[in-house]
Amino acid sequence: MKPLLVSLFIGLPAMAQAGCFGSGEPLFHCTLNGGTKALDICLQGEVALYRFGPAQGTAELLLARPVTGVAMTPWNGIGRHLWEEVTFHNGSHDYLVSYSVDRLATGDAPVTEGRVIVAEGDSEVADLACDAGSVTEADFYPLFEAKLAAGELWCPETQSWGGACN
């Protein structure tokens, strides 16, 4: 385990509770399964956190990754729906969290939908939609900025992170 992650896990019991624990910046939050489970994505400096588990209590899964170790697809600025997604890798499993907002929806406020897709290799293990109306945070732009600050470059032409766009 890298030193950065070791130092992050020193405070694990306090961090295992719901939400973004302490100074973390919330990027995404929703409930699932009728409010019995919660999903949070947070940013603490150069570390992105994925938390899934009971809405109240200890997380079932808590992943901490350097921002350079998290895949992210920012919104391309086109279309009716504003959407972004991030993927946390954990061994043979990937946890893809996404949200979508219909920018042209009528009514008091646009509806934000979210979900997490769990995959093992090329096989989808689970596709869990957030409970209707439960997405209270949905903004991965701070992660985008953190990836840029860490030296990664986003190439809109290829929709990928890497060196200079060619």
Side-chain angles (χ1 to χ4, degrees):
M1 190 177 282
K2 295 183 178 182
L4 175 64
L5 297 181
V6 171
S7 65
L8 182 65
F9 282 112
I10 290 171
L12 185 59
M15 293 172 46
Q17 301 305 311
C20 283
F21 11 88
S23 63
E25 180 178 359
L27 304 181
F28 182 86
H29 172 81
C30 79
T31 61
L32 304 105
N33 297 334
T36 61
K37 304 285 184 181
L39 174 61
D40 291 284
I41 305 293
C42 305
L43 184 63
Q44 287 189 340
E46 297 176 2
V47 177
L49 301 160
Y50 172 102
R51 183 210 179 273
F52 178 84
Q56 302 298 321
T58 303
E60 293 172 12
L61 180 62
L62 180 62
L63 303 174
R65 302 288 183 262
V67 296
T68 56
V70 176
M72 183 213 179
T73 304
W75 181 47
N76 63 11
I78 300 171
R80 177 179 181 145
H81 290 89
L82 182 153
W83 62 270
E84 293 180 305
E85 61 187 32
V86 298
T87 303
F88 286 77
H89 306 290
N90 187 36
S92 63
H93 288 82
D94 290 329
Y95 299 85
L96 184 142
V97 178
S98 64
Y99 72 86
S100 174
V101 180
D102 183 348
R103 299 179 316 128
L104 301 179
T106 58
D108 293 337
V111 175
T112 303
E113 297 176 341
R115 69 183 333 100
V116 59
I117 297 173
V118 182
E120 183 173 18
D122 293 333
S123 299
E124 186 175 292
V125 176
D127 183 350
L128 305 171
C130 294
D131 296 333
S134 74
V135 177
T136 58
E137 297 286 340
D139 182 8
F140 295 150
Y141 191 72
L143 177 60
F144 180 87
E145 290 179 319
K147 289 175 81 60
L148 290 176
E152 289 191 297
L153 297 174
W154 175 251
C155 185
E157 293 83 8
T158 62
Q159 294 288 293
S160 64
W161 292 93
C165 293
N166 295 326

